[in-house]
Amino acid sequence: MRRVASGILPMIAIDRKAPKPLHRQIYDGFRAAIVDGNLHPGQRIPSTRVLAVELGVSRFPVLNAYAQLLAEGYFESRVGAGTVISTSLPDQITRGVPTAAGSKVSYIGPRPVARRTSLFPRLEAKPWLRGPGAFRVGQVAFDQFPLKVWSNLVARHCRQMDAVSMRYRNQMGSEAFRQTIARYLRTARSLHCDESQIMIVNGSQQALEITARVLLNPGDRVWMEEPSYNLARSVFALAGCRLVLVPVDDEGLSVEAGIKLSRKARAAFVTPSHQFPLGVTMSASRRFQLLEWAHNTGSWVIEDDYDSEYRFESLPIASLQGLDTNARVIYVGTFSKVLFPSLRLGYIVIPADLVDRFISVRQIVDIGPPEFFQHVIADFMNEGHFARHLRRMRVLYREQRTALVSCIGEELESALEVLGSEAGMHLPVALTRRISDREIAERGARQNLWLWPLSPYYAGKASRSGFVLGFGGTRVEEIQPAVRLLRKLLTLM
Amino acid sequence: MRRVASGILPMIAIDRKAPKPLHRQIYDGFRAAIVDGNLHPGQRIPSTRVLAVELGVSRFPVLNAYAQLLAEGYFESRVGAGTVISTSLPDQITRGVPTAAGSKVSYIGPRPVARRTSLFPRLEAKPWLRGPGAFRVGQVAFDQFPLKVWSNLVARHCRQMDAVSMRYRNQMGSEAFRQTIARYLRTARSLHCDESQIMIVNGSQQALEITARVLLNPGDRVWMEEPSYNLARSVFALAGCRLVLVPVDDEGLSVEAGIKLSRKARAAFVTPSHQFPLGVTMSASRRFQLLEWAHNTGSWVIEDDYDSEYRFESLPIASLQGLDTNARVIYVGTFSKVLFPSLRLGYIVIPADLVDRFISVRQIVDIGPPEFFQHVIADFMNEGHFARHLRRMRVLYREQRTALVSCIGEELESALEVLGSEAGMHLPVALTRRISDREIAERGARQNLWLWPLSPYYAGKASRSGFVLGFGGTRVEEIQPAVRLLRKLLTLM
């Protein structure tokens, strides 16, 4: 980061009625800001003219104060850079580094926080989340991203920015962007929707959060796939819901088991295209069973379709939303996997009669999505770059997945069982021996291998241990060394 | 928006075991997509080679199906554009426009939603929120924004994008950006903080929402300034809190009244720099009273400093956070007023011992902020553009405010009383006669005058009626005609 002077004025209180002369007040103000570390050595000071205007005083007291601060060595003059805070101040004058400023405050008395936050333990530093090694989950093939095309679109939209695009905007998101998404979803995912049902959100996590706030009361029961993504569970737990853990088998969530456990659950959260983490695709008959249950009990189905774009077989299955004839499905999608995660953009497809409720809650939550990249992505999609990118990535990820599966077959056949269908950007594998996946993951992290253990995805007792291996950001040539390293780790256990 | 072909494939299910031949399955798939309106006239169709790869079939059945679709007029060939959906399809073939797709779904049975959402009425279209006329609230002087500098920074960062910047990032936000903000707040607002306490959020609305989730339980009492910003009240209502309406007088929120109403309230929400909407600045003695109450009762103070950068007098008052010696203040700031609203970027300054709790909740809510513009703004600040922009805007807004006040003095002296201190981007005015501010606002909207009525800001009985006049986006030369229009509206009542 370039540490150029920011030109921000320190807070200098001027009181015309005080007995202390103005130049002295200005001198004291600067001195205190320097001593407290609020102005740092080398930082540029505004000109006397600017400061006089800012403070609403004449220039004389400012000149006077500056002269004194220069004379005493608090300020120094630099050719071409005006006046700056002296870089040669003795350490005892500036009380510590500025970053220590926060630690000066202490406190006594109770520190009450919301009870539900205690459900979420202090963040443990999970060692496997550290580095950028092989098998990182949720990582896309960044070096294949069409950065040039993207940059041109960004530059074009930046030039086109105007008063309208800078204002508070539609809480649902840009209309043109929503039309584009609706068209895409109808075509590629068989959804029944138009743009009035699409709400742009900051990624699928916020989609779940808003959906839970709109639909669920504290105490309501929610079916969760077991195992499932921990941050999805957290959404419903933070909303005060009771989680009903429904087992996942080869056909996806077992609707029969769910009905036995809690027929009257208010909602079901599912990842039918590619179950996270186990990777199975929900069968057509299960889809109809799930929709029938929702219809009969008046429950909602929340469909998280986080990576459905990447299927490597020839038999796509229509989304639950597309099969639903009773407007019971809330569909969630994201650009994190098909573009990149730090965009933080996703969408909800909302049953038409609930749109107003969603807007009310959305407004309270954060008013609406940021504007700029919605337009960039809309053009990226409308001009065909998105389809082209998806096609290229589908070929690449299929290659990487194939290489990974065959390498595991060669090197680790007896130790690991490959799970799930040919889809997505992660490969779930189960350990055939009863050893701790967490422990192996910790050891792997020390060697820059990113092994996400499978057992923590179980909210109840883990019936399997293993790993979720991300292959999206792992190149074919990285795969064999990484698999061999994993074999070494497993041999040592 | 350019309506170029997107190249997205329709969902075509291929079943090798079906008795129906493959070319017929492909033909039927396209035909159904066209009839259902999922492929629209003029949309480009993938080449036979691409489709064959996608479907995992040989090219022959695809060629066969395409030939038939061309022969029957569903497809047409265009020189240079390949094959597209025919633009001359009869209307009876394509069932209505694609945007009607959503309305086909009907539903029966109960549609249960969260009880608390009923607190927020179906969105009424507030007529005064319609156009871009004079006095629009929350509008900045867009034509003065240094768009050239901004575009250069955007282009620079777009070129610098790499694997790291595209990944999932720190939930708190970019460290460099947080350092920059911490330095700015220490200097300009006398805060005690370092970057480890700063969380980047999607605007101050999300700051309040996350703060409420971390600190408050359903049923907790919260002091709200009366009147106050309605979406701030909604945050606490959605969290299930009980609002304690504390009157605001010339010195800001009356701490004494608050203590009488509910000494044990768990938190107080205040806008001390420039009360919204009444515009008063909380006096120093009130600030100390408020902090003392919080200290004695173990309560929290939520300080929303939404436009403190714009003060036009020479006596700044330190933020509550800067006066607090017991780490009781959660400080909220935003870039909506000092840059522009559609950025959706703001920040929370969190007491050090609560940072982990805030991170836990933030992760669940939306994982973290989008990355890109954090870097752009950090450079904008570090290279001095921000300070320069603020200085220019301060001069401009002061001019616009002065012009507005003097024009009201000349044209409407007996009808309107100017409230509040010389700060911010909005001027609150009270009607001296008992007439309905809502009704005048509705009439104003019809004439492109953006009058935000004062009375709806009261959660209880409105003790005042009047308007909040935004002057940030209203140029000096627009002011007199707008004030005269307002006079005409008032004369007619």
Side-chain angles (χ1 to χ4, degrees):
Chain A
M1 198 194 65
R2 289 165 63 182
R3 282 293 219 109
V4 192
S6 66
I8 290 292
L9 281 177
M11 179 175 281
I12 292 172
I14 293 295
D15 181 357
R16 277 197 191 66
K17 291 178 214 133
K20 203 196 276 185
L22 286 176
H23 69 88
R24 184 73 204 183
Q25 294 184 35
I26 295 165
Y27 167 88
D28 284 350
F30 271 107
R31 199 179 168 285
I34 294 165
V35 170
D36 290 347
N38 291 337
L39 288 172
H40 56 82
Q43 189 172 337
R44 199 160 65 183
I45 297 302
S47 73
T48 52
R49 192 186 51 77
V50 166
L51 188 69
V53 170
E54 285 287 323
L55 298 178
V57 301
S58 89
R59 222 172 136 197
F60 294 108
V62 182
L63 281 166
N64 194 329
Y66 274 37
Q68 192 174 350
L69 289 158
L70 275 163
E72 293 182 11
Y74 289 104
F75 284 4
E76 64 187 45
S77 283
R78 280 204 194 155
V79 181
T83 306
V84 301
I85 303 293
S86 178
T87 48
S88 56
L89 289 169
D91 279 351
Q92 62 269 37
I93 285 190
T94 56
R95 248 191 246 154
V97 289
T99 50
S103 55
K104 279 185 227 154
V105 179
S106 59
Y107 41 81
I108 51 170
R111 313 284 287 172
V113 296
R115 278 183 296 275
R116 277 183 209 149
T117 67
S118 66
L119 294 170
F120 312 101
R122 302 257 154 177
L123 294 179
E124 9 154 22
K126 298 196 183 108
W128 50 84
L129 297 183
R130 232 178 261 146
F135 301 145
R136 193 181 169 103
V137 173
Q139 179 121 339
V140 301
F142 299 107
D143 50 355
Q144 300 296 313
F145 186 76
L147 199 52
K148 179 99 192 159
V149 167
W150 186 260
S151 300
N152 288 340
L153 291 177
V154 166
R156 185 206 294 170
H157 280 283
C158 211
R159 279 194 305 272
Q160 287 169 357
M161 258 173 40
D162 59 7
V164 172
S165 66
M166 292 164 90
R167 255 185 228 150
Y168 288 101
R169 308 289 293 149
N170 191 323
Q171 308 100 333
M172 293 282 277
S174 139
E175 185 145 336
F177 186 38
R178 286 154 53 214
Q179 280 170 354
T180 302
I181 293 174
R183 213 154 48 223
Y184 165 68
L185 292 175
R186 286 195 303 262
T187 306
R189 303 291 305 132
S190 299
L191 262 73
H192 291 291
C193 66
D194 63 39
E195 68 272 17
S196 68
Q197 296 170 263
I198 292 183
M199 174 180 278
I200 308 302
V201 293
N202 306 319
S204 52
Q205 189 70 30
Q206 192 186 39
L208 299 185
E209 158 68 12
I210 291 174
T211 303
R213 302 291 291 278
V214 173
L215 299 181
L216 300 167
N217 287 309
D220 280 351
R221 287 191 163 80
V222 178
W223 288 5
M224 293 299 298
E225 293 169 330
E226 170 77 342
S228 67
Y229 183 47
N230 43 333
L231 280 180
R233 286 200 298 266
S234 299
V235 164
F236 301 103
L238 187 63
C241 297
R242 280 183 280 180
L243 306 184
V244 179
L245 307 176
V246 183
V248 170
D249 62 22
D250 287 353
E251 293 190 64
L253 173 128
S254 166
V255 178
E256 209 180 323
I259 290 172
K260 265 188 209 144
L261 287 164
S262 174
R263 183 174 176 274
K264 294 254 168 143
R266 182 65 76 88
F269 170 78
V270 286
T271 49
S273 292
H274 191 221
Q275 203 273 335
F276 194 90
L278 295 181
V280 294
T281 302
M282 189 182 276
S283 68
S285 63
R286 281 284 170 80
R287 287 171 195 244
F288 287 111
Q289 273 178 46
L290 183 62
L291 293 171
E292 200 194 340
W293 161 77
H295 191 152
N296 291 340
T297 57
S299 310
W300 302 108
V301 174
I302 304 165
E303 174 176 28
D304 184 354
D305 214 26
Y306 63 100
D307 72 356
S308 64
E309 287 82 359
Y310 298 129
R311 292 199 63 77
F312 314 129
E313 300 151 50
S314 52
L315 244 179
I317 296 185
S319 60
L320 274 170
Q321 202 271 6
L323 299 173
D324 176 18
T325 54
N326 198 31
R328 291 271 155 211
V329 175
I330 292 88
Y331 178 96
V332 169
T334 176
F335 288 101
S336 292
K337 309 292 184 276
V338 289
L339 295 174
F340 52 91
S342 75
L343 268 179
R344 312 300 316 121
L345 273 173
Y347 46 87
I348 319 178
V349 183
I350 307 167
D353 63 320
L354 298 184
V355 167
D356 278 0
R357 300 269 179 179
F358 271 78
I359 294 179
S360 297
V361 169
R362 175 63 191 281
Q363 240 185 205
I364 298 169
V365 160
D366 73 351
I367 298 198
E371 188 74 2
F372 188 80
F373 282 107
Q374 297 185 58
H375 297 284
V376 173
I377 303 175
D379 275 5
F380 191 78
M381 294 176 83
N382 288 322
E383 295 178 11
H385 308 298
F386 184 65
R388 203 153 31 240
H389 179 58
L390 277 189
R391 269 203 287 273
R392 287 185 57 225
M393 291 303 99
R394 221 174 270 147
V395 172
L396 180 75
Y397 293 155
R398 173 160 27 191
E399 265 174 37
Q400 291 176 180
R401 186 182 184 281
T402 306
L404 178 57
V405 170
S406 84
C407 193
I408 289 173
E410 288 159 23
E411 307 275 349
L412 279 164
E413 203 192 350
S414 58
L416 292 181
E417 180 198 352
V418 169
L419 309 173
S421 55
E422 294 183 23
M425 293 160 52
H426 74 272
L427 185 76
V429 293
L431 283 159
T432 51
R433 279 195 296 153
R434 293 216 145 260
I435 44 180
S436 162
D437 49 9
R438 284 168 183 265
E439 206 179 316
I440 297 165
E442 284 183 29
R443 293 185 192 185
R446 269 176 248 137
Q447 304 197 42
N448 210 24
L449 198 59
W450 217 86
L451 299 169
W452 207 339
L454 192 58
S455 58
Y457 287 120
Y458 287 85
K461 199 181 160 322
S463 62
R464 261 173 174 147
S465 73
F467 307 102
V468 177
L469 305 176
F471 56 78
T474 307
R475 275 184 290 240
V476 168
E477 60 269 27
E478 294 175 81
I479 288 174
Q480 199 182 49
V483 169
R484 289 199 171 153
L485 185 52
L486 175 55
R487 187 175 67 178
K488 222 171 99 194
L489 292 169
L490 290 174
T491 319
L492 293 171
M493 288 292 284
Chain B
M1 198 192 63
R2 290 165 62 181
R3 282 292 218 108
V4 192
S6 65
I8 291 292
L9 282 177
M11 180 175 280
I12 293 173
I14 293 295
D15 181 358
R16 277 195 193 67
K17 291 177 215 133
K20 201 196 276 183
L22 286 176
H23 69 88
R24 184 75 205 182
Q25 293 184 36
I26 296 166
Y27 167 87
D28 285 349
F30 272 107
R31 200 180 168 285
I34 294 165
V35 170
D36 290 347
N38 291 337
L39 288 171
H40 55 82
Q43 190 172 337
R44 198 160 64 185
I45 296 304
S47 72
T48 51
R49 194 187 49 77
V50 166
L51 188 68
V53 170
E54 284 288 324
L55 298 178
V57 300
S58 90
R59 222 173 135 196
F60 295 107
V62 181
L63 281 165
N64 194 329
Y66 275 36
Q68 192 175 350
L69 288 158
L70 275 162
E72 293 183 8
Y74 290 103
F75 285 4
E76 64 188 46
S77 283
R78 280 202 194 156
V79 181
T83 306
V84 300
I85 302 294
S86 178
T87 48
S88 55
L89 289 169
D91 279 352
Q92 63 269 38
I93 285 190
T94 56
R95 246 191 248 155
V97 289
T99 50
S103 54
K104 280 185 228 156
V105 179
S106 59
Y107 40 81
I108 51 169
R111 313 284 290 172
V113 296
R115 277 183 296 275
R116 279 184 208 148
T117 66
S118 65
L119 294 170
F120 311 102
R122 301 259 154 175
L123 295 178
E124 9 153 20
K126 296 194 183 111
W128 51 85
L129 297 183
R130 232 178 261 145
F135 301 146
R136 194 181 169 103
V137 173
Q139 179 121 339
V140 301
F142 299 108
D143 50 355
Q144 301 296 313
F145 186 77
L147 198 52
K148 179 99 193 160
V149 167
W150 185 260
S151 300
N152 287 341
L153 291 176
V154 166
R156 184 204 296 170
H157 280 282
C158 210
R159 279 194 303 273
Q160 288 170 356
M161 258 172 42
D162 59 7
V164 172
S165 66
M166 291 164 91
R167 253 185 231 150
Y168 288 102
R169 309 288 295 150
N170 191 323
Q171 309 97 333
M172 293 283 276
S174 140
E175 185 143 338
F177 186 38
R178 285 153 54 214
Q179 280 169 355
T180 302
I181 292 174
R183 213 154 48 223
Y184 164 68
L185 292 175
R186 287 194 302 261
T187 306
R189 303 291 305 133
S190 299
L191 261 73
H192 292 290
C193 67
D194 64 39
E195 67 272 17
S196 69
Q197 296 170 263
I198 292 183
M199 175 180 278
I200 308 301
V201 291
N202 306 319
S204 52
Q205 188 70 30
Q206 194 187 39
L208 299 185
E209 158 67 12
I210 291 173
T211 302
R213 301 293 289 278
V214 173
L215 299 181
L216 301 166
N217 287 309
D220 281 351
R221 288 190 162 78
V222 178
W223 288 6
M224 293 297 299
E225 295 169 331
E226 171 75 343
S228 68
Y229 183 47
N230 43 333
L231 280 180
R233 286 199 299 265
S234 299
V235 164
F236 301 104
L238 187 63
C241 298
R242 280 183 281 180
L243 306 184
V244 179
L245 307 177
V246 182
V248 170
D249 62 21
D250 287 353
E251 293 189 64
L253 174 129
S254 166
V255 178
E256 211 181 320
I259 291 172
K260 267 188 208 143
L261 287 164
S262 173
R263 182 174 177 274
K264 294 256 169 142
R266 183 63 77 87
F269 171 77
V270 286
T271 49
S273 292
H274 190 221
Q275 203 273 335
F276 194 89
L278 295 180
V280 294
T281 302
M282 188 183 274
S283 69
S285 63
R286 282 282 171 83
R287 286 171 196 247
F288 286 111
Q289 272 179 47
L290 183 63
L291 292 171
E292 200 193 341
W293 161 77
H295 190 151
N296 291 340
T297 56
S299 309
W300 302 107
V301 174
I302 304 166
E303 175 177 27
D304 184 354
D305 215 26
Y306 63 101
D307 72 356
S308 62
E309 286 82 358
Y310 297 129
R311 291 200 63 79
F312 313 129
E313 300 151 50
S314 52
L315 244 180
I317 296 184
S319 60
L320 274 170
Q321 203 271 7
L323 298 172
D324 176 19
T325 54
N326 198 30
R328 291 271 157 211
V329 175
I330 291 87
Y331 178 95
V332 168
T334 177
F335 287 100
S336 292
K337 309 291 183 278
V338 289
L339 294 174
F340 53 92
S342 76
L343 267 178
R344 312 300 317 122
L345 272 172
Y347 45 87
I348 318 179
V349 184
I350 306 167
D353 63 320
L354 298 185
V355 167
D356 278 359
R357 299 270 181 179
F358 271 79
I359 293 178
S360 296
V361 169
R362 175 63 192 280
Q363 231 179 239
I364 298 168
V365 160
D366 73 352
I367 298 199
E371 188 72 4
F372 189 80
F373 282 107
Q374 298 186 56
H375 296 285
V376 173
I377 304 176
D379 276 6
F380 191 78
M381 294 176 83
N382 288 323
E383 295 177 11
H385 308 297
F386 184 64
R388 202 152 34 238
H389 179 57
L390 277 188
R391 270 204 286 275
R392 288 184 56 226
M393 290 303 99
R394 221 174 270 146
V395 172
L396 180 75
Y397 293 155
R398 174 159 29 190
E399 264 173 36
Q400 291 177 178
R401 187 184 183 280
T402 306
L404 178 57
V405 170
S406 83
C407 194
I408 289 174
E410 286 159 24
E411 308 275 348
L412 280 164
E413 204 192 351
S414 58
L416 291 181
E417 181 198 351
V418 169
L419 308 173
S421 54
E422 294 182 22
M425 291 160 53
H426 73 270
L427 185 76
V429 293
L431 283 160
T432 51
R433 278 195 296 154
R434 293 216 145 259
I435 43 180
S436 162
D437 50 8
R438 283 168 184 263
E439 207 179 315
I440 297 165
E442 284 183 30
R443 293 186 191 185
R446 268 175 250 137
Q447 305 197 40
N448 211 22
L449 198 59
W450 217 86
L451 299 169
W452 206 339
L454 192 58
S455 58
Y457 287 121
Y458 287 85
K461 198 183 162 324
S463 62
R464 262 173 173 148
S465 74
F467 307 102
V468 177
L469 305 176
F471 56 78
T474 307
R475 275 183 290 242
V476 168
E477 60 270 25
E478 294 174 79
I479 288 174
Q480 201 183 45
V483 169
R484 288 199 172 152
L485 185 52
L486 175 55
R487 188 176 64 179
K488 221 171 100 194
L489 292 170
L490 290 175
T491 318
L492 293 171
M493 288 292 283

